[in-house]
Amino acid sequence: MGESSSNKRLPLPEDASILTEDLVIEILSRLPYSSLCRFKCVSKSWLVLCSDPEIRKKSTQTLSGFFYMSISPTYTRQFTNLSGRGQPMVEPSFPILPNLPEVRFVDCSNGLLLCLDIISPSPGQNILEMEIYYIVCNPATHEWVMLPNIIERRGIYNRRLGFDPTVSPHFTVFLIVCKDYYHNDPVIGVEIYSSETGVWTYKESEWDNGTVVGNTSKSVFFDGVMHFTTSGSSLVTVDKEGKTWRKIPTPYQTLHTYIGVSQGHLYSAC
């Protein structure tokens, strides 16, 4: 049997051997992730050390910039460096993506972006026959993948992306399916795409009847589970395989609250 990550001993580089293992881990976990990436180039032993999932999980994720939409004179994607100086680190027009008419940003997770392109039905076609393409891309590496086509079910309002490189190189896309096209309709199921299997899977909801996860609900992916705010006094969760569904009671309504992850812990703030 293999050792658990909590019991295994890390191969400390020779120049760090005068320190205890716990101290080295504590020091490295307080550094920005970008510094860990640079340290990997020092030697093979530093590569192994800085690649340890426990250190990566605790390391500080620094923000380099952010995307936003400008509305004047037209809706346009923009990217701003956090420093406020220099050319955008990422080309906001995304020339790396396939030539689709109108690519929209939908969600992001740890450096990956979920985009979609909707091609409206031709005159006389049913609205349910519209073509929808989902794309996941990495703006830093210019890599992208188009997901397999999926028949859109009625009432898909929430499209969310889950990715945690400290745990797995694979991502998961969640499409929350509501009873109808109205934003306050209850959830009836979820479509889940796994980049590991390359297929979509539909799971019927196991949350309480009447659970509403609207298009303004907040979400965060943590420990292989997607967490959503709701219209009631609770958070609801579903794991990346659609096997485990939970409802977490809260002392306040969560629809307009924020949830996130910091230093390996989930938090909610109203």
Side-chain angles (χ1 to χ4, degrees):
M1 295 180 62
E3 295 180 299
S4 67
S5 60
S6 59
N7 294 328
K8 70 179 181 179
R9 292 188 60 81
L10 294 176
L12 296 180
E14 184 177 351
D15 48 358
S17 59
I18 60 174
L19 303 176
T20 64
E21 179 179 317
D22 290 343
L23 186 55
V24 171
I25 293 176
E26 183 66 23
I27 293 172
L28 293 179
S29 65
R30 293 175 180 271
L31 297 176
Y33 182 63
S34 57
S35 297
L36 292 181
C37 292
R38 290 197 297 270
F39 293 165
K40 291 179 182 181
C41 302
V42 175
S43 65
K44 290 183 178 180
S45 56
W46 276 101
L47 172 62
V48 173
L49 179 62
C50 295
S51 299
D52 184 81
E54 290 303 313
I55 293 178
R56 292 180 60 189
K57 190 180 299 184
K58 295 180 179 179
S59 64
T60 304
Q61 301 292 316
T62 55
L63 180 67
S64 300
F66 57 89
F67 289 96
Y68 65 95
M69 295 291 293
S70 63
I71 60 175
S72 180
T74 59
Y75 282 95
T76 308
R77 289 188 299 271
Q78 305 284 351
F79 184 90
T80 295
N81 300 336
L82 197 61
S83 65
R85 301 187 301 272
Q87 294 295 316
M89 299 173 63
V90 178
E91 173 52 55
S93 65
F94 269 29
I96 62 171
L97 292 181
N99 187 24
L100 295 173
E102 188 179 349
V103 176
R104 310 176 191 176
F105 294 157
V106 178
D107 197 22
C108 62
S109 182
N110 287 308
L112 296 187
L113 295 178
L114 174 62
C115 309
L116 68 79
D117 184 80
I118 299 178
I119 300 180
S120 301
S122 303
Q125 278 187 305
N126 190 301
I127 188 173
L128 295 179
E129 297 177 0
M130 59 186 175
E131 297 180 67
I132 298 183
Y133 299 92
Y134 290 99
I135 303 165
V136 174
C137 65
N138 186 330
T141 63
H142 290 191
E143 296 175 302
W144 61 271
V145 60
M146 184 175 289
L147 308 191
N149 286 341
I150 180 175
I151 298 175
E152 288 280 285
R153 300 174 186 267
R154 290 183 65 84
I156 287 184
Y157 255 90
N158 255 308
R159 303 170 171 93
R160 301 300 163 92
L161 173 65
F163 176 60
D164 186 350
T166 67
V167 177
S168 169
H170 300 288
F171 63 82
T172 308
V173 175
F174 300 80
L175 307 183
I176 294 295
V177 183
C178 299
K179 186 177 180 180
D180 213 323
Y181 280 109
Y182 303 102
H183 71 276
N184 59 347
D185 269 10
V187 175
I188 61 173
V190 60
E191 292 277 8
I192 301 176
Y193 174 82
S194 167
S195 65
E196 185 173 11
T197 63
V199 297
W200 289 97
T201 304
Y202 179 73
K203 298 287 186 178
E204 290 188 359
S205 173
E206 296 182 20
W207 295 324
D208 295 342
N209 291 335
T211 297
V212 175
V213 178
N215 59 345
T216 59
S217 292
K218 311 300 188 300
S219 65
V220 66
F221 188 69
F222 176 58
D223 201 21
V225 177
M226 186 62 78
H227 300 68
F228 295 94
T229 62
T230 70
S231 61
S233 300
S234 65
L235 301 175
V236 292
T237 73
V238 58
D239 75 312
K240 63 182 180 181
E241 296 178 346
K243 294 181 178 179
T244 304
W245 302 67
R246 293 181 59 206
K247 181 178 181 179
I248 306 173
T250 60
Y252 46 79
Q253 286 195 331
T254 65
L255 183 60
H256 300 296
T257 63
Y258 292 91
I259 56 175
V261 175
S262 178
Q263 297 295 303
H265 296 281
L266 179 72
Y267 71 88
S268 173
C270 61

